[in-house]
Amino acid sequence: MKIKSFKLSIKLRIALLYAIIFSFILIVLNASVLYGLKYYLVYQAFDDIQNQSDVIVEKLKEVGGIITSVDKDLLFGSSIGENMYLKIVDSHEKILYVSSPHLIDIPYDKNINTPIKIEKDEMHIAYINREYTYGNEVFYIQVYEDLKNQYFFLKLLFVMMAVSDVIGVLVSFFAGYFITGRALRPVDYMVREVHAIDEKKLNKRLSVNGNNDELSKLAATFNDMLDRLEDYFKRQNAFISNVSHELRTPLSILKGYIELIDRWGKDNKDVLEESIGALKKEEQEMEMLIERLLMLVRGDNKTLNVNKKLFNVYELIAEIVRDAKVIFNEKNIEIFCDKTLEVNADRNLIKELLRIILDNALKYTDIDGNIKIFAEEVDKNVAVIIKDDGIGIPEEEIPYIFDRFYRVDKARSKETGGMGLGLSIAKLIVELHGGSIEVKSKLNEGSEFKITIPKV
């Protein structure tokens, strides 16, 4: 049999915590008051019996130490305070005077001149022993006070405080529950609103009220999270849509050539060879698309490995330029780089990065166009600049060129090829190395890409 755990709401927990803290404070304060009052009453009783004993000593001085049976009560009885008792004993242990026959037996010849409090059963007594010498006669004076009235007052005060504590704790609990409920109303509102939000209502936002308090900050944080989620879903939908679009074209081409082979390629060698060549080309394009998509996915999932090692920057740039000239041999490419410049990075990724930037420069630069590649060490970083005098990028398009599947010139892109993923991958590679990439461009004047990567 499973026992369900009892869960308290936040309002109830806060109210209980408030009541517990309030009760603890009340108990501490009341205990302090009671202890202080008890301390005061006891020491007030000490003062009273001390003063009473002084009065008795003065009386003995008045009668010269001679106590007759006639004037005992007249002499001492009138001077004894309420709830006070007196005993006078001579040096022969003879009781000369006692104010009550029911006095408790307390040694009278010990702890002289020291007020003492004793507790016996439910009895609380403060007493003092005095010694008075007149001639050759020694008198022992014992004065004690029954503190029953003081302790009755303390007990009554304790009961009153206990009742007021219970009432105060209950009031604090219900007041705390009510106040917490009012304070947490915005939280209930946020819970309802957030529950109502799904992928079809990501544009909905929480209303932010208050003077920059904790709840308004929480609402603002939710809105910021929803902004990011909405942007993520939009990007995801756009990504899926673009991938579908990019795959649809080569698949349609593949389907067309397959049908062409099926109809005429069996008997026509020229048609067969043309179709096979086109199929191979489309297969390569699809393979490249899939590889770049996988790279972006691994980058998003933080699973793309970066194998850093020290390599020569000039040799890598020369290798990339040599490969590029095989296809774009009519364009001028110049390298300005110290042949000893080195960097600690993933050579394959940096090669892909520079190849993407150089490939774009070559594609969008006219025949006989000029491309210059600069590489140098700047502030413990390696900066690579690829500058061309091609068609350039409109200023309003620059903020979007690193978005996935984004193409500046859609019509021109069909001629030059490309899937709109190159610059997204370039930015990913730069970020994986903790670097930065900057773009400067003017329409019909050319573009300049500056890549900065930490040297070590």
Side-chain angles (χ1 to χ4, degrees), residues 364-388:
Y364 296 104
T365 301
D366 294 332
I367 296 175
D368 296 330
N370 297 299
I371 298 170
K372 296 180 180 180
I373 303 175
F374 303 87
E376 61 181 343
E377 182 178 347
V378 180
D379 297 329
K380 298 182 180 179
N381 296 316
V382 171
V384 179
I385 299 174
I386 299 178
K387 185 175 182 181
D388 65 67

Side-chain angles (χ1 to χ4, degrees), residues 166-179:
V166 172
I167 295 174
V169 169
L170 290 175
V171 170
S172 68
F173 172 78
F174 288 109
Y177 187 82
F178 175 74
I179 294 171

Side-chain angles (χ1 to χ4, degrees), residues 46 62 78 206 241 263 288 405:
F46 284 170
E62 290 178 7
S78 61
L206 303 175
S241 175
R263 289 182 181 180
M288 183 180 296
F405 294 106

Side-chain angles (χ1 to χ4, degrees), residues 26 40 91 110 160 165 168 213 241 261 346 387 412 444:
L26 279 180
Y40 170 77
S91 58
K110 296 180 180 179
M160 293 175 64
D165 285 354
D213 57 12
S241 175
I261 293 173
D346 188 312
K387 185 175 182 181
R412 185 78 180 271
N444 300 318

Side-chain angles (χ1 to χ4, degrees), residues 214-229:
E214 287 80 0
L215 292 177
S216 63
K217 289 180 180 178
L218 179 61
T221 302
F222 269 119
N223 287 340
D224 182 61
M225 179 190 69
L226 290 172
D227 289 338
R228 295 196 302 271
L229 283 175

Side-chain angles (χ1 to χ4, degrees), residues 42-288:
V42 169
Y43 278 86
Q44 185 64 45
F46 284 170
D47 288 339
D48 291 343
I49 60 177
Q50 179 72 47
N51 295 333
Q52 192 67 60
S53 67
D54 291 339
V55 171
I56 300 302
V57 170
E58 292 298 324
K59 294 287 185 180
L60 288 174
K61 287 182 181 180
E62 290 178 7
V63 299
I66 300 173
I67 304 174
T68 63
S69 59
V70 178
D71 57 3
K72 286 180 182 180
D73 290 332
L74 182 62
L75 182 64
F76 301 113
S78 61
S79 60
I80 298 298
E82 185 181 1
N83 294 326
M84 284 190 182
Y85 302 92
L86 172 64
K87 180 191 289 186
I88 302 175
V89 183
D90 62 12
S91 58
H92 304 292
E93 298 185 357
K94 179 183 178 181
I95 298 176
L96 301 179
Y97 178 80
V98 62
S99 61
S100 173
H102 304 294
L103 296 181
I104 63 174
D105 187 20
I106 302 175
Y108 55 82
D109 56 352
K110 296 180 180 179
N111 302 316
I112 303 299
N113 295 328
T114 303
I116 295 175
K117 175 182 170 292
I118 60 174
E119 296 181 0
K120 188 176 182 181
D121 298 329
E122 292 296 321
M123 185 177 292
H124 304 275
I125 294 173
Y127 76 92
I128 187 171
N129 293 329
R130 296 287 296 273
E131 185 179 281
Y132 173 68
T133 303
Y134 187 84
N136 294 326
E137 191 67 33
V138 178
F139 299 94
Y140 294 99
I141 305 163
Q142 185 179 81
V143 179
Y144 79 78
E145 180 179 1
D146 189 349
L147 304 178
K148 61 180 179 180
N149 290 343
Q150 290 88 331
Y151 273 81
F152 176 77
F153 171 73
L154 289 174
K155 288 180 180 179
L156 181 62
L157 183 61
F158 172 78
V159 172
M160 293 175 64
M161 284 184 169
V163 173
S164 63
D165 285 354
V166 172
I167 295 174
V169 169
L170 290 175
V171 170
S172 68
F173 172 78
F174 288 109
Y177 187 82
F178 175 74
I179 294 171
T180 304
R182 287 182 62 86
L184 292 178
R185 279 182 184 176
V187 176
D188 294 332
Y189 156 75
M190 285 187 277
V191 170
R192 291 194 304 270
E193 292 297 307
V194 171
H195 271 302
I197 295 173
D198 55 25
E199 67 273 9
K200 296 180 181 178
K201 297 180 181 178
L202 284 175
N203 59 337
K204 192 173 184 179
R205 296 294 180 268
L206 303 175
S207 60
V208 180
N209 299 317
N211 298 319
N212 199 30
D213 57 12
E214 287 80 0
L215 292 177
S216 63
K217 289 180 180 178
L218 179 61
T221 302
F222 269 119
N223 287 340
D224 182 61
M225 179 190 69
L226 290 172
D227 289 338
R228 295 196 302 271
L229 283 175
E230 184 179 15
D231 180 66
Y232 172 77
F233 273 102
K234 284 181 179 178
R235 287 174 175 268
Q236 184 185 51
N237 291 334
F239 183 77
I240 294 172
S241 175
N242 287 324
V243 169
S244 301
H245 175 74
E246 293 295 333
L247 289 174
R248 188 179 293 113
T249 301
L251 285 174
S252 298
I253 295 173
L254 289 175
K255 182 180 178 181
Y257 277 107
I258 290 172
E259 291 178 353
L260 183 64
I261 293 173
D262 185 51
R263 289 182 181 180
W264 297 289
K266 298 175 183 178
D267 301 321
N268 192 325
K269 185 177 180 182
D270 293 336
V271 172
L272 180 62
E273 290 179 355
E274 179 186 352
S275 299
I276 292 174
L279 288 173
K280 287 182 177 180
K281 180 181 178 182
E282 292 303 321
E283 182 272 333
Q284 291 173 355
E285 291 289 335
M286 290 184 65
E287 184 179 0
M288 183 180 296

